Amino acid sequence: MKTTLLDESEQNLAQLTYSVIVEMEKEGKYKATVWGLPDCQVTGDTREAALKSINQLLTARLENAEVVVQEIALPKSENPWIKFAGMYKDNPLFNEMISEMEAYRREVDAEMEEYYRKMDAEDKKLGK
């Protein structure tokens, strides 16, 4: 895990971007909630008042906070299918099964080819 701390000069230049959900409530007031922080929620008489209040709330909350960026390496995992690779290599029926699959595939391909030939013939009759 890698942690990056912002030094004093970077903190002065850094800006935090956040998403705010603004909703009109039944009473005609506006509710502003910071996305992902349900405890950061305010209401206001107008949309602008709610946004101003949420900005003030966040500014006060972050005044004594520290922004830390952490990078966490994902654990390397093996492809789950790799354990099945080659499991039938010594099975005497494997080649027979492959042959049957190939024959079935050729049969299905022939059926589809015939189907499309019929569709093309019908289109020609209808003048398409």
Side-chain angles (χ1 to χ4, degrees), residues 47-114:
R47 180 181 180 277
E48 291 73 24
L51 287 171
K52 184 177 179 181
S53 294
I54 198 75
N55 194 326
Q56 290 170 346
L57 176 66
L58 269 174
T59 301
R61 182 173 180 177
L62 294 172
E63 214 168 75
N64 296 319
E66 178 182 18
V67 176
V68 178
V69 178
Q70 291 188 325
E71 293 177 11
I72 301 171
L74 293 175
K76 293 187 179 191
S77 63
E78 185 178 284
N79 184 323
W81 291 104
I82 206 74
K83 64 183 173 186
F84 298 111
M87 68 186 279
Y88 294 112
K89 69 178 179 168
D90 296 325
N91 188 327
L93 300 175
F94 184 73
N95 288 337
E96 183 180 329
M97 182 195 62
I98 293 293
S99 296
E100 287 182 26
M101 288 171 58
E102 289 171 347
Y104 177 71
R105 184 72 251 169
R106 283 191 297 275
E107 181 183 325
V108 169
D109 287 347
E111 288 174 7
M112 291 307 297
E113 191 173 318
E114 180 61 28

Side-chain angles (χ1 to χ4, degrees), residues 1-43:
M1 175 173 28
K2 178 182 170 188
T3 301
T4 305
L5 297 175
L6 300 176
D7 67 23
E8 203 63 37
S9 62
E10 288 177 313
Q11 285 181 351
N12 291 336
L13 299 174
Q15 287 190 345
L16 182 63
T17 301
Y18 52 90
S19 299
V20 176
I21 301 170
V22 180
E23 301 171 279
M24 185 175 203
E25 296 192 315
K26 292 179 184 177
E27 308 84 41
K29 293 190 178 244
Y30 288 84
K31 178 172 70 172
T33 308
V34 176
W35 185 272
L37 298 173
D39 60 321
C40 282
Q41 189 175 91
V42 296
T43 56

